Amino acid sequence: MEQRLEKQLAFALEIDKVKNIFRQTHLSGNGRNENDAEHSWHMAIMAYLLREYSNEEIDIAKTMVMCLIHDLVEIDAGDTYAYDSEGQKTKKAREDAAKERIFSILPEDQRAELIALFDEFEANETPEARFAHVMDNLQPIMLNDSNGGKDWEKRGVTAQQVQARQSKNILGSKKLNEVTDNIIKANVEKGNLKN
């Protein structure tokens, strides 16, 4: 087999492992914990459907690819819960090492392309990255809301913690930032989030 194709297929098989990385968020309707592949797929579809609410024009294909690859590093680094302050301290180092190993399976041009997209997402400075981050924040808050805030309640998450995590959404979408604010307020009123 041609070496380039062999590397591409090896990468495709390697990233199948992301289906085994389970997140703290449960599926809607109080289902099981979602995995990273489901989260990323859901984000990508949401980005496509909600693109009209981006503050700026975006390249939707680029944004969707960012959504699809942003958690591949968790194959090695594991999922770091959004409100785990200890885990957050080592997250970048773990993810940087994973990024190098996983994307290095690819041919050099595709390795460089996906690392650049991953780094662009992490930097959160372009319209595409900002909108992809809105999806990364909105998707789990929607699931938590659909489950009556049980994931927040179980872990004692406060409204201030959720607001801090959502604070940069306004950079990507003023409209969707209003949606997250309303979800937070409603869950405070219901007692699902401590104030």
Side-chain angles (χ1 to χ4, degrees):
M1 187 184 318
E2 180 186 324
Q3 187 180 21
R4 179 178 178 83
L5 178 56
E6 191 174 335
K7 288 181 176 185
Q8 291 166 324
L9 292 175
F11 178 79
L13 187 58
E14 180 67 17
I15 65 172
D16 183 65
K17 293 175 182 175
V18 82
K19 296 173 187 173
N20 293 314
I21 307 302
F22 286 89
R23 297 166 46 82
Q24 300 301 312
T25 307
H26 287 78
L27 299 175
S28 61
N30 294 310
R32 64 166 168 76
N33 292 66
E34 77 171 339
N35 66 47
D36 274 352
E38 292 163 332
H39 166 66
S40 299
W41 161 83
H42 202 185
M43 281 175 58
I45 295 293
M46 287 173 59
Y48 182 79
L49 294 174
L50 302 173
R51 68 190 184 275
E52 66 195 81
Y53 303 109
S54 176
N55 291 344
E56 303 169 82
E57 281 292 317
I58 55 171
D59 176 337
I60 191 58
K62 180 180 181 182
T63 306
M64 291 174 75
V65 172
M66 281 183 191
C67 291
L68 292 168
I69 69 164
H70 83 289
D71 274 348
L72 292 179
V73 294
E74 293 184 3
I75 292 168
D76 290 356
D79 176 56
T80 305
Y81 185 49
Y83 308 108
D84 174 5
S85 56
E86 281 305 306
Q88 294 294 332
K89 292 176 184 176
T90 61
K91 180 181 175 185
K92 182 168 177 11
R94 287 182 287 118
E95 289 188 352
D96 283 348
K99 172 182 70 174
E100 290 304 320
R101 185 196 71 79
I102 294 165
F103 292 125
S104 290
I105 295 169
L106 284 165
E108 179 54 34
D109 62 317
Q110 290 182 324
R111 181 195 80 77
E113 177 187 3
L114 291 190
I115 284 178
L117 282 173
F118 179 87
D119 289 345
E120 183 178 336
F121 174 82
E122 288 295 306
N124 199 28
E125 295 174 350
T126 63
E128 290 80 9
R130 287 190 288 267
F131 196 68
H133 270 273
V134 174
M135 298 303 102
D136 196 23
N137 290 332
L138 176 59
Q139 190 268 350
I141 202 173
M142 285 174 48
L143 292 182
N144 278 324
D145 183 53
S146 80
N147 290 320
K150 297 295 182 218
D151 290 327
W152 292 319
E153 193 177 341
K154 179 180 174 184
R155 291 174 184 81
V157 176
T158 67
Q160 291 77 13
Q161 287 174 295
V162 180
Q163 287 164 334
R165 178 143 176 91
Q166 305 292 323
S167 66
K168 292 187 180 180
N169 285 353
I170 199 162
L171 301 174
S173 174
K174 291 175 184 169
K175 182 65 176 176
L176 297 177
N177 185 62
E178 290 174 20
V179 171
T180 57
D181 281 350
N182 289 336
I183 291 172
I184 294 167
K185 287 174 190 167
N187 278 275
V188 168
E189 288 171 11
K190 294 174 189 172
N192 301 331
L193 278 170
K194 296 176 184 170
N195 208 351

